[in-house]
C-alpha cells in the first residue's frame, strides 16, 4: 500500500507496519493508520472522483487502507442518501439541516462500512474465517458481508442479545455462540477462541482498519454536500469508534485539500450512559458508567475506543449533549414525520441532540448542521412501538370514524 | 404528458384521459397507461440514460407517467443493488443467477416504487392528503414517502395488522385507523372516507399509476445487466400488481428497442394461497382461496389485480411455482448464507421458486435467471427466528466451546 505509511499507537506513538492482521499496540493503545497525503494528493482529485460510477464506499479507494488489487466485497455498502430537511430545520430554528440515512446499508446500519473493510482485510490476510463478539449491528453486518464474500463467521453474543439480531445472524449462516454471562465474559471467550484458531479478528477497538471503513460516511457526506463544510456534524456515540472514524475522514479530506475547514462535532450520548461526554464536560479522564438507556447500540459503559473519540471531540472543538430516553423517542417520531426516515433509538440520538441544542439556544438560525442516522428503526421494533403510540381503533362505520376524528380534533383536508 | 397517450381499460378497452386522479374503468376493470413509444424512442436513448447521475427510479422519467415539471419526491427510491450469485447458481445447478435486493429501499420494500409514484401524482392533482388501506408494505411505504414530501396520510389497517408495521406507520406520523373487522371491512371504510373527503387514493389495483412506479424494478434490472436479457425473471405474487408492473417495464424496454427479446416470468406463490398460479396451471378463471401462509405480504386470497397479472404471465409464456412455508423458510436461510441478503418470507418466495424449479429439473445449467427480493427480513423478525434456528448456548469456558463444536461436528479452519 504505497499510500499508507504505517500504523501508529495513539497512546505511546510506537509505529508498526500496516499488515492486514494488525491489532493493538503492545502498550494496549489503539493504532491509527497514517497515510502519505502528498502521494495521495498527487493522483487523487475531485475531478477523478466525480467521474466515477462506483457509488459505494469503495469509490474512495485512494483513502482506504487496502492494496490496489484487493477486491471490494460483494455487498453494496455506502453511498447512503443525504436529505436536506428544510421543514425540520425551520421547526427547530436552524439555518440548514441535512440528514444522512445510514440505516439504508445492506444490513441496515453504518457498521456495514467497518465490516466490509474487515472482509477486505481478511482476504488480504488470506483468512477464511472472521470472528467477533458483539450484541448487535457489528455482528450482523459482519455476518452479512462475510456471507456474501464466501467467508465463514464465528460470532460470540451475550445471552441477553435481542432475538431479532440473533435471527439476522442465523439467517446469514454465522456460527453463533450465545455466552451465558456478561459482555465481558463473552469478549473473553471470543479472545481465547480467536487466539486458539487464528481467526481474523473484527473486534472493534482492536482492529485498526474498522474506523477506516467507518470514515467513508464523512467522505460521502462531504462529497454529497459539494465539499461545502457544515458548521456541525452530529452523531451518536457508544464505544467511540464511529465518531473517531467520522473525524478521521474529515481530517483526510482537509489534508488533501478537498475541504478548506473542519466542522465541529456534536457527540450525542444517552444521559443514562455517557462516559465520553462526561469526560469532555468535566475535562477529566473517562470513567465507567452504568448502561441505563433503551438505545442498546450506544449503551456502552466501558467505551473501548474512548481515546480516539475524546481526541476527535476535543480537536474539533466539539459539543457534547446527553439525551434522556424520552428525548430519544421523541426524535424517532420527529425524524419519521418530518423526513420519512425511521431510525433505531441509537440511530436517531444525534438528531435528538441537535434538537436539544436548538432548544437550549446553543444552535440557531445562523448554523448549518448535518446529522447521521446510524441504524434502521426496524432493528428494534419493540421500542418503536413504545415511542410512537397506538392507532385509532373503531369498527368499519363511517359515523364512528367521524366521531373519532371529532373527539381528537382531527380535521382532514 | 406528451409521451402518454391515455389510460385504457384492460377488460373492455375503453379509453380515458390520463388525469392524475384516474381510477378504475366504469366496467370495474383496471386501467393501463398507454405510451407513445415513437415519441419516446425519438429522444430517449441508452446513451442519454447512461450519462445520468440520478441513481433512483426517476432516471427513467421518459417512461414514467408524470409531467415534465413534476418534482421527484424526496426519498431516494430505487436503484437497489443487483448481485450476481455464482456460488448459489452452482449450488442450484443454474447457468447464471442474479439477485436484486429491493428490501434496500427507504422503507425496506419494493412498494416504495409505487408509493413514490403516488406522491408524485398526488402533487400533480394538488392533493395534500393521501389515503390507502393495507396491512403492510404498501401502507408503510406510503406513510414514509408522503411524510418526506410534507403530505398527510390516512391509513386504514385491519386490527390483525402486525404491530411492527403499525409502529412504522406511527413513526412516519400517519393517522392510522385500526378497523375492528376483516380486510374487506377495512377497505370498505377507506373507500367511504376517501369519497367523503376527496383524498388522493393510493389503493392498489385502483390507482393505475402504481404499477408504473413498480415497473422501474424491471428498467433497473435490465440496465444493471447491460440490457442482456436473462431467460427468466422470478418474483413473488400476491395481489398481482407487482408482477404486472415488472412485465410492463420489460414491454416498455422492448417497445423502444432497449432490449431485443422478452424473458419468461416465474410467478411464485405460497401453496396455501395461490389463486393466480392455479388459474394458470388449470387454464381457467381465477377463484378466491384461503390465506394459509406465513408469507403475509402475499397472503392474498382475492387478488385485486388478477387480470393484469394473468395477462403478464401468459404473454411471457411464464412458469408458475407454489411453495410450502417450509420451502419459503429454507430460501430465507439459503439467500442469507450464500448472498448476504436477508429477505422477508414473501420477499424470498421468488428465489424459493427458482430453487424448486431447479430441483424439479425445469431449470438447469443452460438457464440464466434473475430473482427479485421484494422486502427486507427485518420487516418480520418473528418468522425469521422460526426459520433460522437457535445459537449454541454455553458458559464462557474454552473447554465447553471445544466440546460444543466437537458435538456438532464443527471443525473451524
Amino acid at each position: 500500500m504505497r499510500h499508507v505509511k504505517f500504523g501508529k499507537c495513539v497512546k505511546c506513538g510506537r509505529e508498526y507496519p500496516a499488515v492486514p492482521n494488525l491489532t493493538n499496540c503492545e502498550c494496549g493503545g489503539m493504532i491509527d493508520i497514517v497515510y502519505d497525503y502528498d502521494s495521495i494528493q498527487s493522483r487523487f482529485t475531485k475531478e477523478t472522483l466525480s467521474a466515477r460510477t462506483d457509488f459505494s464506499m469503495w469509490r474512495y479507494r485512494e483513502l482506504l487502507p487496502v492494496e490496489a488489487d484487493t477486491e471490494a466485497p460483494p455487498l453494496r455498502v455506502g453511498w447512503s442518501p443525504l436529505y436536506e430537511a428544510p421543514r425540520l430545520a425551520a421547526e427547530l430554528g436552524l439555518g440548514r439541516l441535512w440528514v444522512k440515512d445510514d440505516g439504508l446499508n445492506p444490513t441496515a446500519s453504518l457498521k456495514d462500512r467497518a465490516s466490509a473493510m474487515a472482509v477486505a482485510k481478511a482476504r488480504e490476510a488470506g483468512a477464511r474465517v472472521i470472528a467477533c463478539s458483539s450484541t448487535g449491528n457489528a455482528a450482523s453486518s459482519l455476518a452479512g458481508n462475510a456471507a456474501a464474500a464466501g467467508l465463514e463467521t464465528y460470532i460470540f453474543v451475550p445471552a441477553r442479545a435481542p432475538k431479532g439480531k440473533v435471527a439476522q445472524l442465523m439467517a446469514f449462516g454465522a456460527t453463533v455462540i450465545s455466552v451465558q454471562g456478561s459482555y465481558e465474559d463473552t469478549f473473553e471467550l471470543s479472545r481465547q477462541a480467536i487466539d486458539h484458531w487464528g481467526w481474523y479478528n473484527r473486534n472493534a477497538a482492536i482492529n485498526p482498519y474498522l474506523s477506516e471503513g467507518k470514515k467513508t460516511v464523512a467522505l460521502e457526506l462531504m462529497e454529497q454536500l459539494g465539499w461545502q463544510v457544515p458548521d456541525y456534524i452530529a452523531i451518536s456515540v457508544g464505544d467511540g469508534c464511529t465518531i473517531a472514524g467520522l473525524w478521521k475522514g474529515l481530517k483526510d479530506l482537509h489534508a488533501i485539500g478537498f475541504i478548506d475547514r473542519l466542522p465541529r462535532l456534536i457527540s450525542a450520548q444517552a444521559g443514562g450512559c455517557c462516559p465520553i461526554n462526561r469526560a469532555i464536560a468535566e475535562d477529566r479522564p473517562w470513567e465507567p458508567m452504568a448502561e441505563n438507556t433503551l438505545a442498546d447500540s450506544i449503551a456502552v459503559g466501558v467505551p473501548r475506543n474512548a481515546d480516539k473519540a475524546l481526541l476527535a471531540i476535543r480537536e474539533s472543538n466539539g459539543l457534547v449533549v446527553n439525551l434522556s430516553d424520552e428525548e430519544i423517542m421523541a426524535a424517532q417520531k420527529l425524524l419519521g414525520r418530518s423526513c420519512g426516515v425511521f431510525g433505531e433509538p441509537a440511530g436517531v440520538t444525534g438528531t435528538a441532540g441537535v434538537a436539544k441544542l436548538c432548544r437550549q439556544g446553543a444552535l440557531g438560525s445562523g448554523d448549518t448542521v448535518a446529522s447521521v442516522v446510524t441504524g434502521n428503526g426496524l432493528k428494534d421494533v419493540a421500542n418503536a412501538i413504545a415511542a410512537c403510540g397506538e392507532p385509532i381503533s373503531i369498527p368499519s362505520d363511517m359515523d364512528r370514524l367521524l366521531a373519532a376524528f371529532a373527539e381528537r380534533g382531527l380535521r382532514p383536508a
Side-chain angles (χ1 to χ4, degrees), chain A:
Chain A
M1 300 187 288
R2 59 177 173 160
H3 59 302
V4 172
K5 287 181 166 170
F6 43 73
K8 184 177 178 180
C9 176
V10 296
K11 224 168 187 171
C12 75
R14 185 166 166 181
E15 295 172 6
Y16 294 85
V19 293
N21 56 358
L22 188 60
T23 55
N24 281 355
C25 179
E26 280 179 7
C27 84
M30 283 289 303
I31 302 285
D32 183 44
I33 303 298
V34 179
Y35 293 85
D36 180 348
Y37 291 123
D38 289 337
S39 156
I40 294 168
Q41 206 164 7
S42 69
R43 61 211 160 79
F44 187 49
T45 66
K46 291 182 189 174
E47 292 67 38
T48 316
L49 183 61
S50 71
R52 289 193 182 155
T53 54
D54 174 1
F55 288 97
S56 79
M57 62 181 270
W58 301 99
R59 70 191 270 106
Y60 306 104
R61 197 170 253 274
E62 285 85 348
L63 288 169
L64 297 178
V66 290
E67 303 289 348
D69 61 352
T70 300
E71 214 183 324
L75 292 188
R76 190 186 73 183
V77 175
W79 205 255
S80 60
L82 179 74
Y83 302 124
E84 180 156 13
R87 276 175 292 116
L88 182 52
E91 189 174 336
L92 299 176
L94 266 182
R96 291 180 80 176
L97 175 65
W98 296 266
V99 173
K100 186 159 174 71
D101 187 0
D102 236 44
L104 292 189
N105 275 301
T107 77
S109 84
L110 185 148
K111 297 284 170 77
D112 278 329
R113 300 177 185 274
S115 291
M117 179 59 70
V119 168
K121 298 305 289 183
R123 280 171 160 178
E124 286 183 3
R128 286 182 39 222
V129 179
I130 314 183
C132 79
S133 62
S134 156
T135 70
N137 293 332
S140 56
S141 68
L142 175 62
N145 280 277
L151 298 177
E152 273 186 87
T153 49
Y154 286 79
I155 312 265
F156 296 78
V157 299
R160 68 171 164 83
K163 278 204 167 187
K165 292 183 178 181
V166 174
Q168 229 182 343
L169 295 174
M170 301 301 291
F172 290 136
T175 300
V176 185
I177 299 101
S178 172
V179 179
Q180 297 153 11
S182 69
Y183 182 73
E184 284 304 306
D185 297 332
T186 308
F187 184 84
E188 177 55 26
L189 184 61
S190 83
R191 199 191 54 72
Q192 289 181 47
I194 288 167
D195 280 355
H196 182 86
W197 281 290
W199 296 328
Y200 191 79
N201 191 338
R202 187 251 183 266
N203 274 324
I206 285 187
N207 184 323
Y209 298 107
L210 303 180
S211 47
E212 301 298 314
K214 287 182 176 177
K215 81 181 179 190
T216 57
V217 74
L219 309 182
E220 285 175 20
L221 184 56
M222 290 316 313
E223 187 180 359
Q224 289 169 323
L225 285 173
W227 314 109
Q228 299 301 305
V229 183
D231 298 323
Y232 298 88
I233 300 179
I235 198 156
S236 57
V237 174
D239 70 8
C241 289
T242 302
I243 196 167
L246 178 71
W247 186 240
K248 178 69 176 282
L250 293 165
K251 288 208 301 180
D252 280 354
L253 293 176
H254 194 249
I256 63 169
F258 277 32
I259 57 176
D260 57 8
R261 65 180 183 123
L262 288 161
R264 297 175 69 182
L265 300 179
I266 296 173
S267 166
Q269 292 205 292
C273 187
C274 55
I276 288 174
N277 281 359
R278 190 173 64 176
I280 296 280
E282 302 179 4
D283 198 19
R284 59 182 175 87
W286 71 272
E287 277 168 30
M289 279 187 80
E291 299 178 348
N292 291 323
T293 172
L294 60 74
D296 65 293
S297 308
I298 53 167
V300 184
V302 182
R304 295 189 169 270
N305 209 342
D307 288 344
K308 277 192 186 179
L310 290 168
L311 271 174
I313 300 166
R314 289 191 172 120
E315 272 186 21
S316 86
N317 188 24
L319 303 179
V320 298
V321 56
N322 298 326
L323 290 309
S324 68
D325 283 356
E326 291 68 32
E327 288 166 334
I328 291 171
M329 288 160 82
Q332 199 170 30
K333 287 198 78 164
L334 185 68
L335 265 171
R337 74 165 163 77
S338 65
C339 303
V341 170
F342 183 37
E344 67 173 318
V348 305
T349 301
T351 310
V354 173
K356 187 167 188 171
L357 291 168
C358 288
R359 286 196 302 274
Q360 294 175 339
L363 296 177
S365 59
D367 298 309
T368 59
V369 183
S371 178
V372 181
V373 175
T374 54
N376 199 304
L378 289 169
K379 290 263 188 181
D380 184 0
V381 163
N383 274 312
I385 291 168
C388 297
E390 296 284 336
I392 299 166
S393 176
I394 51 165
S396 181
D397 180 314
M398 196 61 193
D399 290 334
R400 293 290 293 271
L401 183 66
L402 291 166
F405 280 9
E407 216 172 275
R408 288 162 181 79
L410 288 170
R411 287 172 220 276

